[in-house]
Amino acid sequence: MALTLYLIRHGLTAGNAARRYIGSRTDEPLSEQGRRELLAARSENRYPQADALYSGSLLRCTETARLLYPMLAPLILPALNELNFGTFEGKTYEQLKNDPTYQRWIDSAGRIPPPGGESGRDFSLRLQGALGSIANDVRRTGARRAAAVTHGGCIMTLLSEAAPSVNRFYAYQTVCGGGFRLMMDIDTLQISEISPL
């Protein structure tokens, strides 16, 4: 069975505005600007209707889910949380650019973990588990369209792995409150027909 899945990045936070690495160790709320932007986009009908709603467990995701889909109760999936950036958490590129450990992490394209953080492989496996949880829930409920509120790194990782011919991680970068529409086969978890919201 095919599911239309909308992957939506949470709204803007103070950490996003400051261009900090805000991962799974930072649970900050949406900023006032972030709330305003989401409500404006919702009033313009930029978010498609959904039968089911999923969200990462961090406040910025749960707040976004409730603002965009107030009629649905989100199923909270911690596996949809952002990468654990370890000791890089809360820091900016400017603060890290001269750190050789940071440079090794960048050069590895995230394959090696940041100190005290999560490797790219572990992150990817966790995200595949989240897709499996969504598929299991959809089998139970019969939903045909679902929205999942998550993080930018999660969206880029899931979609760049789903479309290896593109093989461009940053091709799936999206602004806060942005996202992608895709089709997912709930039996194989294969993703196809990816397009921006």
Side-chain angles (χ1 to χ4, degrees):
M1 178 178 121
L3 172 71
T4 303
L5 181 61
Y6 313 114
L7 290 179
I8 300 170
R9 185 179 179 194
H10 63 77
L12 187 73
T13 69
N16 297 138
R19 303 183 60 84
R20 296 183 182 283
Y21 283 97
I22 303 298
S24 63
R25 297 168 82 174
T26 303
D27 197 11
E28 64 181 22
L30 297 174
S31 65
E32 283 305 315
Q33 178 185 346
R35 284 188 197 87
R36 282 195 310 272
E37 290 171 351
L38 290 172
L39 290 171
R42 188 184 82 187
S43 73
E44 295 166 3
N45 296 315
R46 283 203 249 157
Y47 300 103
Q49 290 186 351
D51 309 313
L53 178 62
Y54 306 94
S55 174
S57 66
L58 298 174
L59 194 53
R60 55 198 185 267
C61 287
T62 58
E63 284 185 348
T64 298
R66 290 184 178 108
L67 281 174
L68 299 185
Y69 295 95
M71 70 299 290
L72 296 172
L75 177 61
I76 305 301
L77 299 174
L80 285 174
N81 289 350
E82 184 60 280
L83 181 77
N84 177 347
F85 290 112
T87 61
F88 302 154
E89 187 84 20
K91 297 180 180 167
T92 65
Y93 168 77
E94 285 302 315
Q95 292 171 311
L96 293 167
K97 67 182 181 183
N98 296 320
D99 180 339
T101 308
Y102 174 74
Q103 194 56 57
R104 279 193 298 278
W105 178 66
I106 292 293
D107 292 345
S108 80
R111 285 186 295 278
I112 63 170
E118 187 175 20
S119 73
R121 173 129 175 87
D122 289 344
F123 183 46
S124 177
L125 290 172
R126 176 162 60 79
L127 293 172
Q128 287 300 313
L131 290 183
S133 295
I134 291 170
N136 288 337
D137 191 61
V138 165
R139 279 189 207 95
R140 183 184 61 78
T141 64
R144 305 297 296 213
R145 300 167 302 173
V149 179
T150 184
H151 304 264
C154 298
I155 293 171
M156 289 189 292
T157 298
L158 281 169
L159 297 186
S160 64
E161 290 179 359
S165 59
V166 174
N167 199 23
R168 287 184 11 229
F169 181 72
Y170 291 103
Y172 298 110
Q173 191 168 24
T174 188
V175 297
C176 289
F180 291 88
R181 174 186 290 107
L182 52 104
M183 297 300 293
M184 183 176 84
D185 182 307
I186 65 167
D187 296 316
T188 64
L189 306 185
Q190 293 299 306
I191 293 172
S192 61
E193 299 179 33
I194 302 166
S195 60
L197 284 180

